[in-house]
Amino acid sequence: MAPRKSKKKAPSFRKLLKTSNIKIENKLKNRQFKQQSIAKKHRKEQKKLKQALNNAATRTPLPLERYKKRPEDEEDEEEFEETLPVDMMEEDDLEQMKAMAQKASFLTRDLSSSEPVHARKRKQENVMDKYEKVPRLMQKEQEKELIHLLPIKDKTGIIPQTMEKPVVKKAEKENEDEGDGDGAEEVNAPKPLPLLTTQELVVLRRKRLEERKVCIAALGSSILSDPSANIKKLKELRSMLVELDPYVAVTVRKLVMVSLMEIFKDIVPSYRIRPLTEAEKSTKVKKETQQLREFEEGLVSQYKFYLENLEQTVKDWKQMKKKKSDVVSLKSYKGLAEVAVKCLCELLVALPHFNFHNNIIVMIVPLMNHDCKKISEMSCEAVRKLFKQDKVGQASLGMVKVISGLVKSRNYEVKPEVLKALLCLRVKEVEVKKDADDIAPKKRFMNFKEKRKHLSRMQRKWKKAEEKLEKELLEAEATECKEKKLKLHTETLNIVFLTYFRILKKAQKSILLPCVLEGLAKFAHLINVEFFDDLLIVLHKLVESGDLSYRESLHCIQTAFHVLSGQGDVLNIDPLKFYTHLYKTLLRLHAGTANDDMIIVLQCLDVMLTKRRKQVSVQRALAFIKRLTTLSLQVLPNSTVGILATNRVLMHTFPKSDILLDNESQGSGIYLPELDEPEYCNPQNTSLWELHTLQRHYHPIVRKFAAHLIVGAPSEGSGALNVDLSRKSATDLFEDYSTKGMTFNPPVATPSSKKKEKFTIGDALLDSDLKKQIDSHLEATSIPSDLDFAAQFRKAFI
């Protein structure tokens, strides 16, 4: 009989096409659900098993329960044992029965007891059942560790591969320990270094050092050849900073420090690297961009670790505490610290734009005040270089903030070199007044609609090319925003003046006072007008106190007149006391090699007399010209040239000063050179006789200036100076003809040797009659006993 046909219709192809994907998805979901449920059950079983094992291991077994037997039962049991045919049993069987009797099983239970076995089972379980449920404590073997190997892939899928880790048994170890005895201790003990001679040690050290040098050079050249690809080698090179070989540890660490410093100076980009945000990390980028990000991230991290190593080296030297794992001696810490500070100073100057620059500033500034002279000089020199080359002012602002905090925290007890570094700030280059170009609106480029409306097609084409060229020219200028620069410089100066005013107010007897006065003299033209009155009062008190040296008093005078020559013109202040003090101080200047104070005097004279010519009387100008000419006789030639150049300018500024060149002119009173008041010393009654002495000076330039001033300092004619000498200022001439190199500029001619006249014995006069007359007169004339010239004059007059 044929099978019965199903009445269901076969599904069409379209229906199969629609439902096939859904069925496949459902099957996959069911399969995943089954796998998850199976895994869940398996985990539960494993969890229960582990819990049971833990409970069994920790729980102590309970003792067996003993049932008291009645005395009648004991008698029956003894009778029963006597009736047993023990003689018919073998000894082995008897021993086995006794052993079984000692074991805990249901056979040992007293079946004749009246109490039922399962009584109160639900309320209270039997102790025997509890004990039987506890799993037996078997001797556990130590779990063997597995080593996971690479998996194998076949048709069925991936097959994981593992291998047991070989473990040495304890028994074998104990046997070896017992057998060897003291031998194991000898093996574990550190092997002593081989005894070598001095020559062999030198050769060994040289060999190892050459190996390290080759390694450093190879790593450095590979990093410099392709920094983005070999950025990971920076870590390998940096790991050599903890060299553990005692023979070459110090030298290798120094070489690695310097090598890393030079590498960072070469590969660091010219911009600051900022950390990526979460949104930037999640976005997909090009392969080149991803490589650049990885390079920047690795560079910043390695640079950070390198700076931390340098900082730790300096800290170890300061604390002088040797680490247990360190092979470097305490004596070598200073050399390592000096190299670390040198690297920090180089990075401070070379990479002011890069990351962690503020951290380097915080490390370097305290070292400026360190007791070690070499480290202090290196730090101060690096700070001065940074101030000189910083055009924008961002790095200078950060440095000034840290220096101000250091001075305040140390209660103004720091080295003067710390504040002298502030004199190198490039703040004078910024002009407060804006130029017309800055005020004018910037040129705006036309947009597309404006071009289409006002220009033709050819004009638009030319306009596009012109705008493109102008944009390229603007980009090529690459000038910093002047407003930003002005803002930074203003903030920097505010902090500097705050530090200076604090010292003037709280520490007037500090060793920092000369540096403060010198700094105020340099930046006085930028001080706010509101502080002028108070500042001049403080400066006058310092000058009148007499506690200052002549150099410090000169700085006070220079500061006061810089204040008055700038924005202080609007103030109605008569600085007569400062003129008097400078006039008094001029003759105290050092006449030896340390004549650096003369340049301060020349600057003060320029500000006090030349720039304030309208406020200076003729008497005051004549007094200064005379005293300066007197001073020129006792100083070095470059100072003399500067003084004579200043006198030349004063003679041109005050034409009435030619009275000092006239010997026949007479005025009221007598010149009083010892008087310290320039207004009342009667300088018009004297002359510049010192110029005749200076005409015989050994320096040729001094002779030229003296001859030029004697004839009235003409601008043209035979007595005029050369163009090179007449156009230079007094301070420039002072620097040009300096004798710091122990040589004269120009060279001084050696004096001509004159032969001494030989006197012959005999008559000195050729005329014999004249000789007789002189001899007779000498013999006849007697010397008067009294030397009263007035009486002889009266007799002759009568």
Side-chain angles (χ1 to χ4, degrees), residues 111-177:
L111 299 178
S112 61
S113 61
S114 60
E115 186 177 359
V117 179
H118 301 288
R120 302 177 185 176
K121 185 176 182 181
R122 293 183 181 179
K123 293 182 180 181
Q124 183 178 1
E125 291 185 355
N126 194 4
V127 180
M128 191 68 180
D129 295 340
K130 287 184 179 180
Y131 183 77
E132 289 294 335
K133 287 180 180 179
V134 175
R136 270 52 172 177
L137 290 174
M138 306 297 291
Q139 188 177 1
K140 294 182 180 179
E141 294 185 0
Q142 188 177 2
E143 295 182 359
K144 297 181 180 180
E145 297 183 6
L146 297 178
I147 301 174
H148 296 278
L149 304 176
L150 292 174
I152 300 172
K153 187 176 181 182
D154 59 358
K155 294 180 181 180
T156 58
I158 297 174
I159 303 173
Q161 298 290 321
T162 57
M163 185 182 73
E164 293 182 359
K165 186 176 181 180
V167 180
V168 181
K169 293 183 179 180
K170 292 183 179 179
E172 295 179 359
K173 283 187 178 180
E174 291 175 359
N175 294 334
E176 289 178 0
D177 294 340

Side-chain angles (χ1 to χ4, degrees), residues 307-317 319 323:
L307 294 178
E308 288 176 353
N309 288 333
L310 295 180
E311 183 183 10
Q312 189 61 40
T313 304
V314 178
K315 283 183 179 179
D316 293 342
W317 170 63
Q319 298 172 357
K323 300 178 182 178

Side-chain angles (χ1 to χ4, degrees), residues 24-131:
I24 291 171
E25 290 178 359
N26 292 336
K27 286 182 179 180
L28 289 174
K29 288 180 180 179
N30 294 333
R31 191 180 299 168
Q32 292 175 358
F33 180 74
K34 287 181 181 179
Q35 291 177 355
Q36 290 176 0
S37 61
I38 292 169
K40 191 174 182 181
K41 290 179 181 179
H42 182 69
R43 286 196 298 271
K44 285 183 178 179
E45 292 176 357
Q46 293 291 331
K47 188 176 181 181
K48 288 180 180 179
L49 182 60
K50 287 181 181 179
Q51 190 174 2
L53 290 173
N54 293 332
N55 294 335
T58 55
R59 186 184 299 171
T60 55
L62 298 173
L64 292 176
E65 188 176 353
R66 297 290 182 181
Y67 297 98
K68 293 183 179 181
K69 298 180 181 180
R70 291 178 293 179
E72 299 175 357
D73 297 336
E74 290 179 0
E75 293 176 0
D76 296 340
E77 188 173 344
E78 289 176 1
E79 292 177 359
F80 177 73
E81 288 178 358
E82 290 176 359
T83 57
L84 286 174
V86 180
D87 299 336
M88 298 176 62
M89 297 178 65
E90 294 182 359
E91 293 181 1
D92 296 336
D93 296 337
L94 185 60
E95 290 178 1
Q96 188 176 1
M97 290 291 291
K98 289 180 180 180
M100 288 175 64
Q102 293 178 1
K103 289 183 180 180
S105 70
F106 70 96
L107 294 174
T108 60
R109 189 168 58 235
D110 189 5
L111 299 178
S112 61
S113 61
S114 60
E115 186 177 359
V117 179
H118 301 288
R120 302 177 185 176
K121 185 176 182 181
R122 293 183 181 179
K123 293 182 180 181
Q124 183 178 1
E125 291 185 355
N126 194 4
V127 180
M128 191 68 180
D129 295 340
K130 287 184 179 180
Y131 183 77

Side-chain angles (χ1 to χ4, degrees), residues 757-772 774-775:
E757 296 180 357
K758 295 182 180 179
F759 295 95
T760 57
I761 301 172
D763 297 336
L765 298 175
L766 297 177
D767 193 353
S768 57
D769 296 337
L770 179 62
K771 183 179 181 301
K772 290 179 181 179
I774 292 172
D775 292 339

Side-chain angles (χ1 to χ4, degrees), residues 499-514:
T499 306
Y500 286 165
F501 293 156
R502 279 176 180 168
I503 296 173
L504 282 176
K505 184 178 179 181
K506 299 181 180 180
Q508 291 186 357
K509 295 185 179 181
S510 172
I511 58 174
L512 301 177
L513 187 60

